[in-house]
Amino acid sequence: MTGVIVSIINGLLLGAIYGLAAIGLTLIFGVMKVINLAHGAMIALGMFALYLLVSWLGINPYLAVPVVGVGGFLMGFCIYWIAVHRVIGRAELMSLLATFAVSMIIVGVGTVLWSTSPYNVQVDMPGLSIGRYTIPGNHIVAAVVAILVAVALYLFLYYTRLGKAIRAVASNRQASELMGIPSTRVLAIAFGIGIGIAAVAGSLIATLFPFTILSGASYELKSFVVTVLGGLGNPAGALLGGLLLGLIEGSVSPFVSVSWTPVIEFSLFVVILILFPAGLFRVGRGR
Amino acid sequence: MSDTILQIRNLEAGYGEVQVLWGTNLQVTSGQLTTIVGANGAGKTTTLRSITGWVRPSGGQIIFEGDDITRLPTYRKAELGVVMVPEGRQLFGDMTVLENLEMGAFSARARAYQARNLEKVCHYFPRVKERLEQKAGTLSGGEQQMVAVGRGLMSEPKVLMIDEMSLGLSPLLAQQLFQTLKELREDGLTTLLVEQNVHLALALADHAYVLAEGQVQLEGPAREVADNDEIRKAYLGL
Ligand SMILES: Nc1ncnc2c1ncn2[C@@H]1O[C@H](COP(=O)(O)OP(=O)(O)O)[C@@H](O)[C@H]1O
Ligand SMILES: [Mg+2]
């Protein structure tokens, strides 16, 4: 029984990170109606960015995480202008193709640089013992950081001028221009934030598991599941959706083999899409 | 005080292949309330949208305080003080009334006056004051219109353009809003008003333009336009 509880706790900890990753995806969709297919590539890039910072500069992985976030933001800001700006407001297929192209380029370059063999970042963090089970310390820290980042994003969106401007542009771009809000710049910033969050999520995952440049793909898929659980374009729902996905993973993993996880996840994905197309959580849409 | 603050010269604009404005000329005088009247589809909304840059003019010039602002992006014009309250209110429905008003004061110039203007909006629209924490999307149509005008006032406008303020409102509410507009004018606000409700608009305005088929057919002091039977029949359907 303790084993199952520990597994559920571990699932929830991971779920917080799934949630954070999904927030990056859902923020971009919510603000500019772009489904970012480079999301997984950015997660993977966040993993490698952490690896490089730690192995080259020798800094503590947790101190490197914010650096990865800032780097992700800057990269997202640039990608917006290069690949996304021109397809905003056009047919959805255009932005899917544009971001898919970005993904292919990043994964391609990453494969050249780092091949597809696994890397890992060493983290020493005492765990928490429950009976003969242990909850790894790095999982606890990663989950706490993920939740802190999600809360910080919430505070930013609801209590700062720029954050409110992002919500205004998401709500009505035309009207926000009429109010003097430079909406294009705001979109670029929002895209940067979405990518920055994806990169941070990737860097947190890198403190837990070995990874390759292709690892982002499975987290991208999880982000889609989470987003569907939480309601597309709803950051608070994404965090709850992530926790729910983690809960499900944690509850089934003691009983079935790992290969069943994606099967269960995607069956859930389809069921939720059919039964609750707007997501399970109608929360977090303002006060 | 008869300075021209905004001048539109030979404005041409449209949507894709369809041209709507065919050389529209008009002027807005500082401190006055100017109105554009005309039948449905005459191009009134398109004129305002062209001034803000929402619709890109294909020809002509927009001169504001002596500078050509024709090609500036919409948000830059708003920063300069050319502000539009769009038809259909276009509030940020998920955001609170207060947040909507804050967004009105987004530009650096308007931000400097944010506190003063918020007080002003609460003074002119006591009902808005009561609803500051409510989501804008949950308000009644009349309240939403008040927020929309209030949000425009928060932008510290030098010219406030209002499109169809009374559309969809009860006659009583429309009267009230027009009364507020009158007070604002007395406080020195320069307004360019587009209104379905021609009676109210002409009764309030200083100067009127009659627009038909994308051109100004006639202009003059609002009272003269209102009293001219031929115009009333030909262009205003009264
Ligand atoms: N978004 C649009 N796309 C295409 N045509 C439009 C659009 N908006 C208005 N029009 C057309 O432009 C003409 C002028 O419309 P408008 O400026 O809205 O007139 P008004 O405000 O005087 O009623 C109409 O014939 C209308 O059908
Ligand atoms: Mg109109």
Side-chain angles (χ1 to χ4, degrees):
Chain A
M1 192 55 213
T2 324
V4 176
I5 291 170
V6 168
S7 171
I8 286 174
I9 292 172
N10 277 327
L12 284 171
L13 294 176
L14 266 183
I17 301 166
Y18 298 160
L20 182 66
I23 286 174
L25 186 72
T26 209
L27 177 74
I28 289 173
F29 180 81
V31 176
M32 61 201 88
K33 301 289 170 282
V34 166
I35 294 176
N36 173 28
L37 291 184
H39 184 65
M42 291 302 163
I43 292 175
L45 217 50
M47 296 169 169
F48 277 89
L50 189 83
Y51 172 82
L52 295 177
L53 283 169
V54 170
S55 61
W56 285 355
L57 305 178
I59 49 179
N60 181 300
Y62 296 116
L63 294 180
V65 168
V67 181
V68 173
V70 173
F73 170 81
L74 293 175
M75 183 152 185
F77 190 79
C78 296
I79 289 175
Y80 175 84
W81 291 108
I82 296 167
V84 182
H85 177 56
R86 288 176 198 76
V87 297
I88 294 282
R90 309 263 295 273
E92 271 167 24
L93 183 63
M94 302 287 287
S95 58
L96 286 174
L97 290 173
T99 55
F100 187 62
V102 171
S103 168
M104 295 303 281
I105 293 168
I106 291 170
V107 172
V109 171
T111 307
V112 171
L113 292 176
W114 302 303
S115 78
T116 52
S117 43
Y119 287 69
N120 75 315
V121 175
Q122 202 59 48
V123 182
D124 296 315
M125 189 54 69
L128 191 70
S129 299
I130 299 177
R132 54 199 176 84
Y133 300 93
T134 305
I135 296 170
N138 51 348
H139 286 237
I140 297 171
V141 174
V144 169
V145 172
I147 288 170
L148 287 179
V149 172
V151 170
L153 176 72
Y154 176 84
L155 295 176
F156 169 72
L157 288 177
Y158 282 85
Y159 295 99
T160 69
R161 205 174 181 83
L162 180 58
K164 289 176 195 177
I166 289 176
R167 287 164 53 222
V169 171
S171 166
N172 190 329
R173 185 174 177 190
Q174 203 67 256
S176 47
E177 280 272 327
L178 291 176
M179 300 299 107
I181 299 174
S183 66
T184 309
R185 218 176 302 157
V186 168
L187 290 185
I189 290 169
F191 196 84
I193 293 173
I195 296 294
I197 287 174
V200 165
S203 67
L204 291 175
I205 296 165
T207 64
L208 311 180
F209 308 115
F211 52 90
T212 76
I213 189 66
L214 304 177
S215 298
S218 71
Y219 294 100
E220 176 169 326
L221 290 174
K222 284 189 205 293
S223 291
F224 279 117
V225 177
V226 167
T227 306
V228 164
L229 286 173
L232 204 53
N234 176 357
L239 188 61
L240 291 178
L243 291 170
L244 181 60
L245 185 67
L247 177 72
I248 293 166
E249 278 188 18
S251 325
V252 300
S253 65
F255 306 106
V256 299
S257 93
V258 198
S259 359
W260 279 101
T261 315
V263 178
I264 293 167
E265 279 172 11
F266 281 91
S267 310
L268 186 72
F269 182 80
V270 172
V271 171
I272 299 281
L273 266 184
I274 293 168
L275 295 183
F276 307 96
L280 296 179
F281 313 111
R282 307 293 297 152
V283 297
R285 306 288 290 185
R287 277 169 274 185
Chain B
M1 270 275 288
S2 69
D3 311 333
T4 299
I5 186 165
L6 181 68
Q7 186 173 27
I8 282 88
R9 293 190 194 140
N10 292 317
L11 191 66
E12 297 185 17
Y15 303 90
E17 298 287 292
V18 186
Q19 187 164 347
V20 175
L21 301 182
W22 299 84
T24 309
N25 287 286
L26 61 89
Q27 293 189 4
V28 176
T29 302
S30 203
Q32 287 198 349
L33 200 155
T34 305
T35 187
I36 308 174
V37 293
N40 227 336
K44 305 182 296 294
T45 296
T46 308
T47 303
L48 296 192
R49 284 181 182 164
S50 306
I51 296 171
T52 64
W54 177 329
V55 169
R56 295 260 144 180
S58 51
Q61 283 180 311
I62 299 158
I63 312 291
F64 175 68
E65 292 188 319
D67 298 322
D68 187 337
I69 60 162
T70 317
R71 305 272 156 220
L72 289 185
T74 304
Y75 80 91
R76 281 285 302 141
K77 293 181 183 179
E79 273 176 8
L80 292 174
V82 183
V83 175
M84 174 161 88
V85 177
E87 186 175 348
R89 328 188 205 306
Q90 311 278 345
L91 297 180
F92 309 120
D94 287 345
M95 299 173 72
T96 66
V97 169
L98 183 60
E99 286 174 331
N100 269 269
L101 296 175
E102 279 173 31
M103 288 298 101
F106 188 83
S107 74
R109 195 177 58 86
R111 200 171 310 174
Y113 302 101
Q114 182 169 334
R116 191 201 68 191
N117 283 339
L118 184 60
E119 232 169 77
K120 194 162 141 187
V121 169
C122 291
H123 163 73
Y124 282 114
F125 303 110
R127 279 173 63 180
V128 168
K129 188 181 181 180
E130 291 163 19
R131 306 242 185 293
L132 287 177
E133 294 304 324
Q134 209 168 316
K135 294 243 185 78
T138 64
L139 302 185
S140 72
E143 290 164 347
Q144 287 195 14
Q145 188 64 70
M146 291 175 197
V147 175
V149 174
R151 194 177 59 171
L153 290 173
M154 293 297 290
S155 301
E156 186 66 18
K158 290 184 182 166
V159 178
L160 186 65
M161 303 185 282
I162 308 181
D163 196 0
E164 306 291 8
M165 187 172 70
S166 71
L167 197 68
L169 302 187
S170 72
L172 184 67
L173 258 172
Q175 283 276 1
Q176 280 177 6
L177 273 164
F178 269 84
Q179 183 57 36
T180 307
L181 220 53
K182 195 172 165 186
E183 290 166 23
L184 282 164
R185 200 255 323 257
E186 279 156 15
D187 282 358
L189 183 71
T190 308
T191 313
L192 177 58
L193 183 70
V194 163
E195 239 329 302
Q196 292 268 317
N197 196 327
V198 178
H199 280 295
L200 280 173
L202 290 178
L204 188 61
D206 300 295
H207 202 82
Y209 288 85
V210 179
L211 196 70
E213 286 161 8
Q215 285 184 324
V216 171
Q217 305 295 331
L218 180 123
E219 62 159 306
R223 180 155 317 153
E224 284 177 25
V225 173
D227 291 344
N228 186 324
D229 278 341
E230 271 173 52
I231 295 164
R232 293 163 55 121
K233 282 202 192 88
Y235 299 114
L236 307 177
L238 298 177

